[in-house]
Structure formats: C-alpha cells, structure tokens
C-alpha cells in the first residue's frame, strides 16, 4: 500500500481457515500486523484462527508471535503486539460436520458481543482447493454467510480456482448457490504488488507512454516470472498441477492483461476488470498445430545453484518417478485486437532458474538505419521499457546516446526509477493491499468469474494436447539454467532472443 496511513477499514472479524498452515504464518498474519502498524485496521477488529489442531487462545497467540518474529519484516513492536494480541482467538474445529460450523458461528457471535450480526466478517480459505466448496456449503447451511442490514460477509479463495475450464465453471456454479459475486474474492497475490498496480499509473497517467503503447511502435513483449527454488515441500500438490496451471492461466495472464488492456472508463472495480477480461478473450485461440509450435514445456533435471548440487524434479519428495509434470512453460501468443494485432507476446515461467525475478519487458521497434549507416553503424539497439515486479521493484528505460568523443558512436544508457529510492515504504508480504481491499469491499484487484473462465479457456487446447501425449512437448533442462533450448528456439525462429535478467 503506497499510503502508510490509509483510512481504517470498518469493524470486522477476519476468520482464517487453515490458521496454522504456511500461508497464514508466512503471509496473512504478518500482513495483518503490517496493516495494524499503519493504523489501517479498526479498533473493533478480531482475528479468529480456525484449525484442526487442538489449541487454546493463549497457545495460538504464542504461535502467532513466533510467526511474526520469524516471517515479519523485523522485530515485533511491543506497542503493536499489545494492540494485536488480545484481538487474536482460536477455534478448534474439524470442519467435517454441521455441528462444527454451528460451534464456530456461536463463537463468532460471542466475540461480536453487542455488535453481533452487524460487524463485517471476512472468511479466508487458506485450505486445499478441493475443500473450498464444502466449506462454503456448510457455512451457508448454518447461516454464516447471511448478510444482515448494515453487515457484510465475504469469502477469499486462494488459487488454483479449478483444475481446468470444466472444474472452474462447476465450482462457480456451486459457489453461486450460496454467495453473490460481490461476496467472492478470488485472490492473486501478484496483483497486490506495487509495481503491478503501477502499470496502470505508468500507462494512463503519463502522456509520453500511452501514444506509443501499440503495434505501430512495439516490436514484442516478454513477460518473465522466474524462481530459483524447486518445488520445496509441495510435491504432492505440484505434481498434480504443474507450471501451466499453477502460474500461466492466473499470474502470467493477469500481467498480460494489465499490459495490453485498454484505458478503463474509471477506476471502479468492474470498469477495470471489464478491460482486463477483454484481453483474455482476445488471445488468439491455440490449435493442435500452434500448441506444438508455440508452446514449450520443461522439467528441471539435476543441476546446481550457486555451486551447490540440486536434484532433478523426479527425485523430489512426493513426485512420481516417471512424472511428466512441467516445471517450466514458455509460450508465444498474440492478441487479436486493434492495439496489438501482429505484436507477439512471449511468456515464460519456471522453477530452478538462475534468478528470482518477475518482469515485463516492452521492446520497441528499431529506428531506420539510413542515417546511421553513413557513419558505420550497422545496428541500432531498440529501446526497452522494463517493469520490474520483483525483486527491487521499479521501472527503467533504455535508449541510445552518443558516446563522448570525436566520432559519432552510439551507446545504450538507462534511466531507472526504483521504488526504494523515491518512496519510503515499509517491507510488505504482498497481501497487505489485498486484505485491506477485502475489508473495504474493493474488488478491483481480484479475479471475476468470467476472468477465471477466460484464462482456463485460453489454455484448454494446451491441456488437451498434453493430456493426450504428456511427453510430446516436455524438454529437460539442467537446474540452474534458463530453461530448455527449445524455449530459445521459440524466439530464435522469429529473430529474437530472451532477456537474461540480472539476479
């Protein structure tokens, strides 16, 4: 959040299902503590952790204190902890019977006290995806989702939202039976990052960028989300998912949408999301032939990172020995609209790559060479606008300048803007803005049902080809490299090369 002291959210209770899991400990609780430190939370604020592990309120508070000490931005401020600690509670529930949800409902009413039924409640499902529909069904059955006059009930869903198009549509139908779309918050933590949000400010708040943000001036766009880690302890989940489901149809497509969208008529949630979903609908449909020519799947094999040997994917815990799950995806796609017709977009994401970096690189057309050939220049480097999402959030522009001296020679120079240099901001988990928006009812940065369906629809032909022949598009790459050679060939075919981001 760019403003260190935003207006406090209204009175509310945050209920975290899966309260002792990694997401809650590493991200959600530190984010709530950061919001408290910025005075963005109301005085009437309660957190109720719900879990299957028996625990008292006091034990849960000690658990949260350890999590903040380990995963927070720094030492916990004593005054902040004194404010937050008495607002933390724990509910031991199995969540397998209606009686468990009735017990939770009674506990929440008791904590609400005199304001029972009037304070807002935010239910965060930090749970396995296959449990979400049942949790909502049972919450609805005991009245936990009923909105009395002056109150609100909202539910946050973590990705993945479905496993494919059919399952996503089925899940939406199930949720629609108990929730209005205005109560559903499908979260994508990438959209909480400041630089991602700054894309709209960069494009629509500056007269120098928007006029050249189109096919007349842009040669191509590269979107990269690279990770140095492997699958860590997520082998069971990841082997059923893979990079295409885990990253492409949500994170990368949302970065694509923000890069290619038209100006919205306002910054209202639906106006912005209307333009984002148009981009996803405009993705040129893949065919069996184009999947084979424009999509590369990779899987990391044994290799090294910073000189330390690391195992291949098939040797990771909970991964099948002969797994064909991809840990890397690169694809070439086009946007069938007036602004970007003919401009290729290259997307890639992978694990066990040399650098942890997320960026959007806009490469502009080369200028004509006639003038420069007269002085012996055979190639002029094209301009590059780089939006760096993580780490070291910022924006840079590369352009040509004359090298000092008697001869006319060109050199590439860079103008760079780094958030840390211009704006004093506290470290964040990436969830602060999103949680605050949930509490204030702003759905701008959250996926709408049609956006989720459009993303799955775009990758459906790829999933069909992979499902029929799992080995066909799969290439091994050494851990610690920039991916399979086939990904380089994907761009070389067009006379282009991937950027090699700095670590």
């Amino acid at each position: 959040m760019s403003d260190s002291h935003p207006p406090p959210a209204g009175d509310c209770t945050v209920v975290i299902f899966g309260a002792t899991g990694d997401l809650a400990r590493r991200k959600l609780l530190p984010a709530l503590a950061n919001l408290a430190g910025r005075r963005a939370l109301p005085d009437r604020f309660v957190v109720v952790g719900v879990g299957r592990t028996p625990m008292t309120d006091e034990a849960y508070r000690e658990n949260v204190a350890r999590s903040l000490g380990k995963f927070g931005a720094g030492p916990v401020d004593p005054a902040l902890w004194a404010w937050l600690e008495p607002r933390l509670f724990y509910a031991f529930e199995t969540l397998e019977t209606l009686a468990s949800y009735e017990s939770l409902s009674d506990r929440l009413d008791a904590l609400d006290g005199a304001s029972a039924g009037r304070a807002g409640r935010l239910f965060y499902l930090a749970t396995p995806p296959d449990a979400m529909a049942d949790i909502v069904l049972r919450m609805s059955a005991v009245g936990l989702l009923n909105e009395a006059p002056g109150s609100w009930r909202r539910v946050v869903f973590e990705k993945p939202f479905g496993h494919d198009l059919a399952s996503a549509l089925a899940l939406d139908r199930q949720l629609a039976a108990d929730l209005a779309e205005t109560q559903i918050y499908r979260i994508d933590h990438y959209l909480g990052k400041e630089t991602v949000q700054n894309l709209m400010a960069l494009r629509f708040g500056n007269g120098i960028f928007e006029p050249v943000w189109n096919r007349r001036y842009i040669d191509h766009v590269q979107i990269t989300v690279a990770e140095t880690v492997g699958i860590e302890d997520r082998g069971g989940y990841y082997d059923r998912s893979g990079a295409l489901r885990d990253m492409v149809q949500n994170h990368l497509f949302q970065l694509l949408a923000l890069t290619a969208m038209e100006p919205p008529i306002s910054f209202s949630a639906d106006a912005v999301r209307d333009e984002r979903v148009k981009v996803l609908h405009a993705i040129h449909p893949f065919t069996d032939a184009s999947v084979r020519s424009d999509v590369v799947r990779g899987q990391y094999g044994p290799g090294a990172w910073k000189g330390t040997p690391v195992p291949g994917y098939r040797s990771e815990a909970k991964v099948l020995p002969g797994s064909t799950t991809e840990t890397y995806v690169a694809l070439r796609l086009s946007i069938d609209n007036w602004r970007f017709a003919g401009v290729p977009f290259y997307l890639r994401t992978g694990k066990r790559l040399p650098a942890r970096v997320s960026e959007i690189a806009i490469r502009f057309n080369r200028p004509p060479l006639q003038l420069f050939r007269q002085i012996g220049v055979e190639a002029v480097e094209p301009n590059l606008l780089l939006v760096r999402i993580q780490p070291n959030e910022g924006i840079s522009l590369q352009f040509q300048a004359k090298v000092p001296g008697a001869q006319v020679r060109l050199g590439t120079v860079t103008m760079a803007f780094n958030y840390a240099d211009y704006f004093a901001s506290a470290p964040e988990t990436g969830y602060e803005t999103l949680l605050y928006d949930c509490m204030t009812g702003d759905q701008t940065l959250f996926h709408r049902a049609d956006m989720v369906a459009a993303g799955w629809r775009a990758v459906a032909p790829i999933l069909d080809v992979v499902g029929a022949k799992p080995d066909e598009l799969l290439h091994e790459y050494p851990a610690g490299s920039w991916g399979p050679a086939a990904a380089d060939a994907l761009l070389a075919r067009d006379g282009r090369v991937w950027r090699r981001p700095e670590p």
Side-chain angles (χ1 to χ4, degrees):
M1 301 175 68
S2 58
D3 184 353
S4 58
H5 298 296
D11 294 353
C12 71
T13 297
V14 176
V15 183
I16 303 175
F17 291 88
T20 59
D22 268 3
L23 176 62
R25 293 186 304 113
R26 292 173 179 267
K27 300 294 184 181
L28 303 183
L29 292 164
L32 290 172
N34 289 342
L35 288 173
R38 296 166 202 175
R39 300 197 291 276
L41 299 180
D43 185 64
R44 197 282 169 215
F45 176 76
V46 171
V47 175
V48 178
V50 181
R52 298 172 183 270
T53 303
M55 197 182 308
T56 63
D57 291 340
E58 290 71 21
Y60 180 60
R61 290 165 182 166
E62 292 172 3
N63 187 302
V64 172
R66 288 193 296 270
S67 296
L68 297 182
K70 185 175 182 180
F71 302 113
V76 180
D77 178 68
L80 183 150
W81 181 244
W83 184 90
L84 185 61
E85 182 183 21
R87 291 169 169 81
L88 299 172
F89 300 90
Y90 186 79
F92 165 50
E93 302 293 350
T94 63
L95 302 179
E96 293 171 354
T97 64
L98 285 182
S100 185
Y101 290 84
E102 289 168 347
S103 171
L104 175 61
S105 181
D106 291 342
R107 182 76 187 281
L108 295 178
D109 285 343
L111 290 172
D112 277 349
S115 63
R118 294 192 300 277
R121 289 179 186 171
L122 179 66
F123 299 95
Y124 200 114
L125 305 191
T127 61
D130 55 6
M132 292 177 177
D134 285 342
I135 291 175
V136 170
L137 180 66
R138 289 168 181 160
M139 280 199 296
S140 177
V142 300
L144 277 170
L145 301 179
N146 296 342
E147 293 185 324
S151 73
W152 51 262
R153 302 290 182 265
R154 299 170 188 144
V155 185
V156 184
F157 298 88
E158 276 282 342
K159 73 174 183 67
F161 199 83
H163 189 70
D164 52 21
L165 178 59
S167 61
L169 294 175
L171 180 55
D172 269 326
R173 286 193 296 270
Q174 287 177 281
L175 297 184
D178 300 301
L179 291 165
E181 181 65 26
T182 54
Q183 294 178 281
I184 298 174
Y185 285 68
R186 303 172 187 84
I187 202 166
D188 183 339
H189 70 272
Y190 263 73
L191 297 184
K193 297 182 183 296
E194 284 292 346
T195 310
V196 171
Q197 297 176 62
N198 196 39
L199 266 174
M200 287 198 295
L202 175 75
R203 291 186 54 191
F204 308 132
N206 295 285
I208 63 173
F209 293 119
E210 181 58 20
V212 298
W213 208 274
N214 56 59
R215 57 190 171 87
R216 292 184 60 193
Y217 299 98
I218 293 177
D219 178 76
H220 73 280
V221 178
Q222 296 183 21
I223 300 177
T224 297
V225 177
E227 300 177 273
T228 56
V229 297
I231 58 169
E232 299 177 299
D233 60 351
R234 301 168 67 221
Y237 159 76
Y238 199 91
D239 207 37
R240 297 190 303 271
S241 177
L244 190 66
R245 289 183 168 94
D246 190 50
M247 294 293 290
V248 174
Q249 66 84 29
N250 43 64
H251 293 334
L252 269 72
F253 276 5
Q254 287 308 308
L255 297 182
L256 169 72
L258 286 165
T259 303
M261 66 185 279
E262 294 295 323
I265 60 173
S266 73
F267 282 112
S268 68
D270 277 334
V272 173
R273 296 193 293 181
D274 284 346
E275 298 305 330
R276 279 163 45 198
V277 78
K278 286 178 185 177
V279 175
L280 302 184
H281 285 311
I283 295 174
H284 188 79
F286 284 99
T287 63
D288 283 2
S290 66
V291 168
R292 291 176 171 83
S293 63
D294 294 343
V295 178
V296 175
R297 297 170 65 238
Q299 186 186 89
Y300 65 82
W305 188 69
K306 290 188 175 181
T308 301
V310 294
Y313 175 75
R314 293 178 181 178
S315 299
E316 300 276 19
K318 300 180 183 178
V319 172
L320 296 175
S323 173
T324 57
T325 298
E326 76 283 348
T327 60
Y328 176 101
V329 175
L331 53 87
R332 179 191 193 276
L333 56 79
S334 56
I335 306 295
D336 288 345
N337 64 13
W338 187 264
R339 182 184 292 266
F340 282 112
V343 176
F345 285 76
Y346 301 99
L347 280 59
R348 63 174 169 171
T349 183
K351 292 187 175 295
R352 287 291 184 206
L353 301 182
R356 174 182 172 266
V357 61
S358 298
E359 66 175 34
I360 301 167
I362 294 100
R363 184 77 70 174
F364 291 90
N365 293 327
R366 295 179 187 272
L369 276 173
Q370 287 87 338
L371 172 65
F372 298 101
R373 282 201 180 101
Q374 297 173 19
I375 56 173
V377 175
E378 292 301 323
V380 177
E381 284 297 311
N383 302 134
L384 173 72
L385 181 65
L386 184 65
V387 180
R388 192 168 178 118
I389 298 163
Q390 68 177 16
N392 306 322
E393 292 179 286
I395 299 167
S396 65
L397 177 66
Q398 293 180 8
F399 58 94
Q400 298 300 299
K402 179 185 176 294
V403 178
Q407 294 181 320
V408 178
R409 293 183 298 125
L410 299 180
T412 300
V413 297
T414 302
M415 288 195 306
F417 150 69
N418 296 309
Y419 267 90
D421 296 336
Y422 282 82
F423 301 116
S425 58
E428 293 192 344
T429 68
Y431 279 79
E432 286 83 358
T433 295
L434 298 171
L435 286 170
Y436 180 80
D437 286 352
C438 288
M439 287 184 271
T440 57
D442 185 348
Q443 292 184 299
T444 304
L445 299 177
F446 296 83
H447 296 298
R448 205 167 55 190
D450 56 344
M451 298 169 69
V452 174
W456 281 120
R457 191 170 287 111
V459 301
I462 306 174
L463 295 175
D464 289 343
V465 170
V466 171
K469 295 184 178 179
D471 291 325
E472 185 164 357
L473 304 174
L474 193 65
H475 307 264
E476 185 175 292
Y477 62 97
S481 72
W482 272 109
D488 293 327
L490 181 67
L491 269 71
R493 188 181 71 209
D494 296 340
R496 301 182 177 98
V497 296
W498 289 110
R499 259 185 51 80
R500 291 290 186 259
E502 300 272 331

